[in-house]
Amino acid sequence: MAATRALGPAPSKTPDKPTDAAGQAPRRRPRAWRWADIAEFAGSAASALLLTWLIFDRFLPFRIQGVAFFVAWYALTLPIYWLVVRDGHGPVAARDRLASVLVTTGAAVALSPIFLVVGYVTYRGWSVIDFGFLAETMELTGPLSGADDGGLLHSLIGTLEQLGIATLIAVPLGVLTAVYLSEISGPLARPTRLVADAMTALPSIVAGLFVYSIVVIRTGWGFSGFAGSLALTILMLPTVTIAAEQVLRVVPGSLREAALALGSPYWRSVLLVVLPTARAGLATAVILGMARVVGETAPVLLTVGGTNILNVNPFSDYQDNIPLFVFNQIRSSKESFVDRAWGGALLLLALVLVLFVLARLAGGAGPGRRSRRKKGAAK
Amino acid sequence: MPAKGSTVEANDSEEPTGLAVLGFGEPADEAGPRRIEARLSGSDRFYRALASTGAGITLLIIVLIGVFLLLEALPAFRAAGFGFLTTQRWDPDSAPPEFGVAAMMFGTAVTAVVAMLATVPLALATALFINEYAPRVLRATLTSLVDLMAAIPSLVFALWGLFFLVPWLQPIEGWLVAQLGGTLPFMRAIATGSSLFNAGLVIALMAIPITTSIIREVLSQAPRHECEGALALGGTRWGMITTVILPFGKTGIIGGSMLGLGRALGETIAATLILNIRFEIKPQILETGGITVASGIAVEFFDAQELGLSALMAAGLSLFLVTIVINLVAAVVVERAKAAG
């Protein structure tokens, strides 16, 4: 726009909007779907449906489950649609249309588990969760008690304490590492960044084994909530580090230089300028790290111990937490235990969703991007 | 980023004026620019040391994990010798201990292959859909949906897989076994359900989000003018994708898939809940029974005696080494792919 204007005397009309008055054709929108395109697809799908019905109901000597019917319907729709488009628009367009159907299907298949999981867990767990479920422990609950008896107070307290301790350790360490990576960027920066990247996919059970061998056995401390926190710290650290580094990197260099030019030492410029500027993104990094580890089961299985009674001291004796509660309950064959496991799973899912929404609210669109409020202020 | 070697506190006696700091007032005939010395104050040195310690600890943790697992695993390696890699059975606490990771490694490889066969096409399709096909208003929502999927605990996916997906797949698998089991030996099965194949499919759910978000990020850096050029020359959208976007994002797709593979190899809970534990190598992937390294550790942990624990550490060490190598290579590949954009 600005460039066009600079070329000549200011035009009265915006030049990129052709009008019919000037004798030009109406604007073409190559991406828009026309009714004819939709009709082609709908027609193909309908004929494939009829063909599938014909084959399954009339020709095949045996009956097949409903799922297979839909698979066959889909599989028949593709070549029919290809033939129809090829006939009308040529092979290049046919390949393009077929590809868009396949890509859309792939995305739908990949993303649909989210809705199915949230829906199914809510369906199974909703009736279990009530006040008693949150306020009781499993201490007095035997195998014959109903699902409304007993609860996961001990696990909830364990999760909160272990997550809290892990956050207290991992966040300062992760932010320090991020500051090193983005502000100092010394000789350790490249290996540290690679290791942090590799650690995001560190098998969580290996972290559990490591803490088990050092804290639980070597120091003779035994199972404790704190050992679990250490295992969670190892898993949380890379997430926090990477997300924090990304937000620190988008802090404008001019802010740092202004602080340095005013005579502040590096540490003050980082502490009073860089970190506060990235505040929102850092909060997101922390919450994402928490969401990453709150549902981890494998490492706490090896370090926390698991118990049915309430233990509020994370530094000694067995504790429990929600993933462990779910894991132990689901492995029972009793219906009431399985029901309680679904209740725990729903609570866990809700916790993750809350953390996730909090992360989005804290950081705007995501780590590394500025929040809406700041965007407005920058204008 | 503050450049190294620039001076901030230039109020020492050698540099009396601000002009001198900026390089004015220097003799013009001196060769090259004047060397600027950086002297850090005590507090800055402390700050640097602190941040370096933080980075050092992060580095140290990964080294410590390797070293300690190795120390703990040594007795098992001594007892098993080379048989550790070839034995299928897992009886480390029996009178003559007999154990090895062959069955576990086989199961891990099979589940990882199944998971990757499902993950790579689906993740690629999702990334392309979000970047190129979805309406602009939906793009941010879909991206956060992928992030949300990454945040859902693997335990919840595993539960859903066990109670919903596996029963749902049962009739299809039964039909496949009945139709193809006669001709293809690896499709035979006595019972389906708790099989390596199903565990692999559930594990794919945990590999899809990370793979998708990395592939999407790399593909979104494809040069826009080249894409528009392809369209302007009359190419279809699919033509643009195959000629511009996919060749550009090849490395990113490989790197993202490898990071997903790292996830798939280390996934514990899905395999523990779904698999019917059986320590043997069998190529019938649809048949109930199998074991992976991670689930083997989780299952055998509570019954393990002294040598048994050491053997589990050895299994953990082998898993650790495999995933770390894969992840490091993947991290380098992804870093290159992003730098190219």
Side-chain angles (χ1 to χ4, degrees):
Chain A
M1 280 292 287
T4 355
R5 250 189 217 136
L7 283 178
S12 54
K13 273 178 198 160
T14 44
D16 59 345
K17 239 188 200 169
T19 49
D20 289 334
Q24 281 162 320
R27 196 174 171 195
R28 287 196 60 188
R29 313 176 115 245
R31 275 197 177 181
W33 280 74
R34 285 166 301 165
W35 282 110
D37 302 338
I38 296 170
E40 274 166 6
F41 183 73
S44 312
S47 67
L49 175 66
L50 291 176
L51 200 57
T52 319
W53 174 79
L54 198 65
I55 292 172
F56 273 57
D57 208 58
R58 296 276 175 249
F59 296 162
L60 280 187
F62 49 83
R63 293 224 149 258
I64 297 185
Q65 303 282 336
V67 181
F69 184 87
F70 285 101
V71 172
W73 178 18
Y74 181 75
L76 273 177
T77 305
L78 293 180
I80 292 178
Y81 187 49
W82 184 77
L83 280 175
V84 167
V85 181
R86 192 194 145 88
D87 190 48
H89 309 275
V92 178
R95 215 178 303 138
D96 178 50
R97 296 279 188 81
L98 197 63
S100 35
V101 172
L102 283 174
V103 165
T104 310
T105 319
V109 169
L111 293 178
S112 58
I114 307 176
F115 301 104
L116 289 172
V117 165
V118 172
Y120 190 72
V121 172
T122 312
Y123 159 71
R124 291 292 297 255
W126 186 253
S127 55
V128 184
I129 291 189
D130 54 16
F131 180 73
F133 188 66
L134 298 176
E136 288 173 34
T137 70
M138 293 293 290
E139 191 173 359
L140 302 170
T141 311
L144 294 177
S145 321
D148 51 349
D149 215 29
L152 45 52
L153 177 69
H154 57 303
S155 316
L156 187 61
I157 300 246
T159 285
L160 293 180
E161 285 181 352
Q162 288 151 25
L163 189 62
I165 295 174
T167 311
L168 281 183
I169 304 173
V171 166
L173 206 53
V175 172
L176 267 183
T177 309
V179 164
Y180 181 83
L181 291 180
S182 95
E183 305 297 312
I184 297 180
S185 144
L188 285 181
R190 204 177 127 77
T192 308
R193 193 172 292 133
L194 277 182
V195 161
D197 274 344
M199 264 172 88
T200 52
L202 175 79
S204 54
I205 192 134
V206 170
L209 266 183
F210 169 66
V211 172
Y212 175 79
S213 83
I214 289 192
V215 179
V216 179
I217 293 187
R218 292 232 164 188
T219 66
W221 198 328
F223 291 103
S224 69
F226 182 66
S229 312
L230 288 181
L232 295 184
T233 303
I234 294 176
L235 296 170
M236 201 171 162
L237 189 56
T239 316
V240 174
T241 304
I242 291 169
E245 196 218 340
Q246 280 176 352
V247 273
L248 289 186
R249 226 191 276 170
V250 296
V251 172
S254 53
L255 285 181
R256 288 187 192 95
E257 283 151 19
L260 296 175
L262 286 171
S264 94
Y266 284 114
W267 68 270
R268 283 189 73 127
S269 80
V270 169
L271 195 65
L272 299 179
V273 176
V274 176
L275 290 182
T277 310
R279 197 170 46 216
L282 288 176
T284 312
V286 172
I287 300 169
L288 280 183
M290 291 167 83
R292 159 99 169 78
V293 300
V294 68
E296 282 292 348
T297 320
V300 294
L301 194 66
L302 271 53
T303 48
V304 170
T307 172
N308 279 338
I309 56 173
L310 180 63
N311 171 21
V312 289
N313 181 2
F315 293 101
S316 78
D317 272 340
Y318 288 34
Q319 260 198 333
D320 209 44
N321 66 22
I322 300 178
L324 211 50
F325 174 87
V326 174
F327 185 70
N328 286 328
Q329 303 282 320
I330 203 80
R331 296 215 293 179
S332 161
S333 51
K334 298 289 289 182
E335 198 59 33
S336 60
F337 281 73
V338 174
D339 283 345
R340 270 193 290 269
W342 284 109
L346 179 58
L347 194 65
L348 197 60
L349 198 58
L351 220 53
V352 169
L353 286 178
V354 166
L355 284 174
F356 189 78
V357 171
L358 274 183
R360 284 291 129 112
L361 290 181
R369 269 166 257 165
R370 289 189 293 174
S371 67
R372 199 170 294 149
R373 193 164 49 105
K374 285 219 189 102
K375 256 183 210 157
K379 266 174 197 166
Chain B
M1 217 176 293
K4 258 186 288 176
S6 67
T7 175
V8 180
E9 290 169 304
N11 42 12
D12 296 328
S13 51
E14 296 100 278
E15 309 285 354
T17 61
L19 278 180
V21 175
L22 295 171
F24 293 102
E26 286 291 313
D29 56 345
E30 200 174 289
R34 186 178 56 93
R35 242 183 76 83
I36 300 173
E37 250 181 282
R39 244 169 281 100
L40 292 173
S41 66
S43 52
D44 260 345
R45 246 175 276 138
F46 175 71
Y47 145 75
R48 276 186 175 242
L50 192 68
S52 308
T53 315
I57 289 176
T58 308
L59 266 178
L60 195 65
I61 287 176
I62 213 99
V63 177
L64 276 183
I65 292 178
V67 169
F68 266 85
L69 286 182
L70 184 62
L71 281 182
E72 301 280 340
L74 274 180
F77 282 136
R78 277 204 207 97
F82 188 69
F84 185 71
L85 292 178
T86 53
T87 312
Q88 297 183 26
R89 281 158 51 85
W90 190 264
D91 290 316
D93 292 317
S94 63
E98 191 191 1
F99 59 92
V101 286
M104 291 182 171
M105 278 294 178
F106 173 79
T108 305
V110 169
T111 48
V113 167
V114 171
M116 282 297 101
L117 285 181
T119 298
V120 174
L122 287 181
L124 187 57
T126 312
L128 284 176
F129 182 77
I130 294 176
N131 276 350
E132 308 296 333
Y133 287 89
R136 206 163 288 251
V137 284
L138 273 182
R139 220 165 274 179
T141 317
L142 288 174
T143 310
S144 0
L145 212 55
V146 173
D147 291 346
L148 175 65
M149 193 171 171
I152 292 180
S154 58
L155 176 68
V156 175
F157 273 129
L159 282 189
W160 178 77
L162 184 64
F163 281 77
F164 185 90
L165 189 66
V166 171
W168 190 75
L169 287 172
Q170 199 100 356
I172 304 177
E173 287 178 2
W175 183 79
L176 282 176
V177 167
Q179 299 302 312
L180 303 172
T183 44
L184 301 169
F186 63 90
M187 295 296 284
R188 273 177 213 146
I190 299 164
T192 59
S194 312
S195 60
L196 288 173
F197 180 79
N198 286 346
L201 280 190
V202 176
I203 288 173
L205 292 177
M206 295 141 207
I208 284 175
I210 170 103
T211 313
T212 305
S213 70
I214 287 177
I215 292 180
R216 194 197 63 77
E217 212 170 296
V218 172
L219 292 189
S220 71
Q221 286 176 350
R224 224 53 232 178
H225 58 275
E226 285 181 31
C227 298
E228 279 156 19
L231 290 176
L233 286 171
T236 57
R237 201 184 307 183
W238 181 242
M240 171 193 84
I241 289 172
T242 46
T243 53
V244 180
I245 294 184
L246 291 185
F248 171 86
K250 211 164 37 188
T251 16
I253 295 171
I254 294 171
S257 308
M258 285 177 75
L259 281 182
L261 178 63
R263 272 288 150 82
L265 289 174
E267 179 48 47
T268 314
I269 291 303
T272 311
L273 282 179
I274 288 173
L275 281 179
N276 210 336
I277 303 303
R278 190 101 59 78
F279 282 92
E280 61 176 300
I281 293 181
K282 58 167 187 269
Q284 294 93 336
I285 54 170
L286 283 177
E287 188 172 83
T288 286
I291 187 79
T292 68
V293 178
S295 65
I297 296 172
V299 170
E300 295 291 317
F301 178 76
F302 290 98
D303 304 328
Q305 308 293 315
E306 203 148 310
L307 191 61
L309 268 180
S310 175
L312 289 180
M313 298 283 174
L317 180 68
S318 43
L319 179 64
F320 172 72
L321 291 180
V322 170
T323 47
I324 286 297
V325 167
I326 288 178
N327 288 333
L328 276 179
V329 173
V332 172
V333 169
V334 171
E335 196 186 26
R336 294 243 169 98
K338 279 187 185 164

